[in-house]
Amino acid sequence: MKTFKLKELGEFKNGLNFNQDDYGVGYPIINVKQLYKSRFASIENLHELKLDFKNNIDGYFIKKNDLLFVRGSMVPSGAGQAVMVNDFLPGTVFSGFIIRFRTTNFSKIIPLFLNYLLRSPLCREKFVRIASGSVHSNMTQDILGNFEVELPDLETQKQILSVLDSIDSKIEIIEKNNFILEKIIQSIYKSWFIDFDGQTEFVDSELGPIPKGWTSSKLGDILSLLRDGSHNPPLRVEKGISFITGGTLNFVIEYDKATYITDEDYHKIQRNYQLQENDLMLSTVGTLGNVAIVRATDLPLSHQRSAAMLRVNEKANFVFLYCLIKSPGFKLFLDTHQTRTAQPSIFLGTLSSFAFVLPSTKLLDSFFRLGFPLIKKMQDNCSSILILEKIRDSLLPKLMSGEIQVKV
């Protein structure tokens, strides 16, 4: 094992600065939100800069095996987040909120190994310590360049990669499976409840023609409880009851982004109600519309103001509610009714006014019987992913120290 500073292994470059008027058709641009989904930068739904972008764009194109660092984070836990460039569209560039690292010293490091190392709990903890105490956890080329990593020889790196890459490949297969399941359930929802496929008799309503026997409703009509979280965040502790934000919601709750509070504070915050299995959590501050379904294994659970709890009543079911909240119509509602402040948000009263067509009880029951197994399978897949991620993260230090040997 030898210690190196990152500036001894490659070179850094800050990304492009631009404004809203520079968007158009031309250069796909990777932004911060593309750096949090997996080990590789996401290339889905990228914004683009105009081909006649006013600034010199040479030198800002990405290449395979580049590492991209988050330049600034509102919380220390996001400091130094890094992913690798794998697949990408020709002419893709990166934004000014990102610092690019390009490996030059291939005799000392394999880029994919460095990606794993920088994303491991060991390095993540170091980045958080560096960022602690700062109002806005900024990373600079100087800070990253002087960041030290311990490296085994290239052969050992290859052996370790054979194990870690195998685990991540399994994770990515499960994630693709979940993507397909999500597409299936949303396609059925659209067919039945938006396109009204199979319906032959219609009546007029305030929402236009709707199937006979259905009703024009509002979100508040099908909820028995709609609550936001604590407006006065209590003191955080190292271990305790999870205290989640809207940023932790991604079908399931991502606990690596959560903080913790004491049992005493939990009972103060949740004294009037407690979260239950199959409640829905919705992000209402910041990135609006993130959704998660509460599982039995999540409980007990508490939440901050940026996450609202939705509990369905006897008029519907949580599977229908989940698809309703994921529908394009609801996303458009959030976009047009959010407050235009530094932190976009939506009031719970406004949220409960969202209008939609409530189908017959018989059709709702049929949809639940069809959709519940899909939701359950997606939840089980998420649990499998969590287990594999824990195995992967625990293996890296043991493989590097030689505690576990790889035979190839």
Side-chain angles (χ1 to χ4, degrees):
M1 298 285 287
K2 294 184 178 180
T3 300
F4 296 90
K5 293 181 179 180
L6 288 183
K7 64 185 179 182
E8 299 177 277
L9 302 172
E11 56 189 20
F12 294 92
K13 187 174 182 65
N14 291 347
L16 277 168
N17 293 314
F18 56 92
N19 57 46
Q20 200 74 21
D21 295 333
D22 295 319
Y23 285 124
V25 178
Y27 303 103
I29 185 159
I30 290 181
N31 218 319
V32 171
K33 66 180 181 180
Q34 276 80 44
L35 307 191
Y36 285 99
K37 293 185 178 180
S38 71
R39 58 179 171 159
F40 298 126
S42 171
I43 58 170
E44 296 177 2
N45 304 316
L46 297 183
H47 290 299
E48 295 184 18
L49 298 179
K50 298 174 184 176
L51 283 175
D52 59 351
F53 180 64
K54 59 182 178 298
N55 295 334
N56 182 8
I57 211 160
D58 292 339
Y60 292 96
F61 297 107
I62 60 172
K63 293 183 179 179
K64 186 178 177 66
N65 296 330
D66 282 347
L67 268 67
L68 305 177
F69 288 89
V70 174
R71 190 172 176 182
S73 173
M74 292 300 294
V75 293
S77 59
Q81 176 70 36
V83 300
M84 174 174 280
V85 174
N86 189 32
D87 296 326
F88 63 96
L89 301 170
T92 299
V93 295
F94 61 107
S95 81
F97 297 104
I98 293 172
I99 298 176
R100 184 188 68 194
F101 173 84
R102 181 165 289 168
T103 302
T104 57
N105 194 344
F106 292 98
S107 65
K108 301 298 181 184
I109 186 67
I110 300 172
L112 183 58
F113 181 83
L114 182 58
N115 187 39
Y116 273 111
L117 188 58
L118 293 173
R119 292 173 58 84
S120 69
L122 178 63
C123 284
R124 297 296 311 127
E125 289 170 6
K126 290 181 181 178
F127 281 125
V128 170
R129 285 200 300 271
I130 291 171
S132 294
S134 173
V135 175
H136 195 269
S137 304
N138 287 313
M139 287 289 124
T140 65
Q141 292 189 28
D142 187 55
I143 291 173
L144 292 173
N146 286 293
F147 188 83
E148 294 184 339
V149 291
E150 288 188 306
L151 301 177
D153 60 76
L154 288 181
E155 187 58 35
T156 303
Q157 291 181 37
K158 292 177 184 177
Q159 292 172 357
I160 292 173
L161 280 176
S162 68
V163 176
L164 303 183
D165 188 60
S166 175
I167 295 173
D168 263 326
S169 294
K170 289 183 173 65
I171 290 173
E172 286 159 3
I173 290 172
I174 298 173
E175 288 175 337
K176 287 180 181 178
N177 187 17
N178 264 12
F179 178 80
I180 293 170
L181 292 172
E182 177 76 27
K183 284 287 187 182
I184 290 172
I185 194 170
Q186 295 297 342
S187 295
I188 297 171
Y189 175 86
K190 180 177 182 296
S191 172
W192 288 16
F193 305 124
I194 296 179
D195 298 336
F196 305 144
D197 289 342
Q199 302 298 319
T200 57
E201 294 185 73
F202 292 83
V203 296
D204 290 331
S205 77
E206 59 188 66
L207 296 177
I210 64 173
K212 186 177 180 180
W214 297 25
T215 57
S216 298
S217 298
K218 295 183 178 178
L219 184 62
D221 297 334
I222 64 169
L223 298 178
S224 63
L225 197 58
L226 174 61
R227 295 288 297 266
D228 61 0
S230 172
H231 290 241
N232 299 301
L235 182 68
R236 307 300 199 279
V237 293
E238 288 189 12
K239 291 185 179 181
I241 293 175
S242 297
F243 191 50
I244 65 167
T245 67
T248 66
L249 309 178
N250 185 19
F251 181 71
V252 294
I253 297 166
E254 298 179 333
Y255 286 100
D256 60 330
K257 301 176 185 177
T259 54
Y260 302 93
I261 61 175
T262 64
D263 187 76
E264 180 182 0
D265 283 331
Y266 164 73
H267 286 290
K268 287 180 182 178
I269 294 170
Q270 310 290 153
R271 62 180 177 271
N272 295 322
Y273 72 100
Q274 291 189 351
L275 289 159
Q276 299 177 5
E277 183 180 9
N278 298 331
D279 285 344
L280 265 67
M281 303 301 299
L282 176 71
S283 172
T284 56
V285 178
T287 304
L288 301 184
N290 290 350
V291 187
I293 301 172
V294 176
R295 299 171 292 177
T297 53
D298 293 325
L299 303 171
L301 182 67
S302 189
H303 58 113
Q304 300 183 38
R305 175 179 170 268
S306 61
M309 186 219 75
L310 295 81
R311 181 173 298 159
V312 72
N313 61 25
E314 70 282 351
K315 292 183 179 180
N317 58 69
F318 80 92
V319 177
F320 175 81
L321 178 59
Y322 169 76
C323 291
L324 177 67
I325 288 175
K326 294 280 287 184
S327 68
F330 186 78
K331 292 178 181 177
L332 178 61
F333 177 84
L334 289 180
D335 185 57
T336 55
H337 289 79
Q338 64 179 278
T339 60
R340 302 292 178 177
T341 59
Q343 279 276 75
S345 62
I346 190 164
F347 297 111
L348 297 193
T350 305
L351 195 67
S352 63
S353 70
F354 172 68
F356 67 98
V357 181
L358 182 66
S360 64
T361 301
K362 182 178 179 180
L363 196 59
L364 277 172
D365 290 343
S366 296
F367 184 68
F368 181 81
R369 288 193 297 270
L370 191 64
F372 178 74
L374 301 179
I375 294 288
K376 184 65 169 62
K377 178 60 178 174
M378 291 165 67
Q379 290 177 323
D380 291 343
N381 282 344
C382 289
S383 296
S384 297
I385 290 172
L386 180 61
I387 292 170
L388 287 169
E389 287 175 340
K390 286 183 177 179
I391 292 172
R392 178 198 63 201
D393 292 342
S394 65
L395 278 176
L396 180 58
K398 294 178 180 179
L399 289 166
M400 288 181 64
S401 67
E403 181 181 343
I404 297 177
Q405 297 284 334
V406 181
K407 293 182 179 181
V408 292

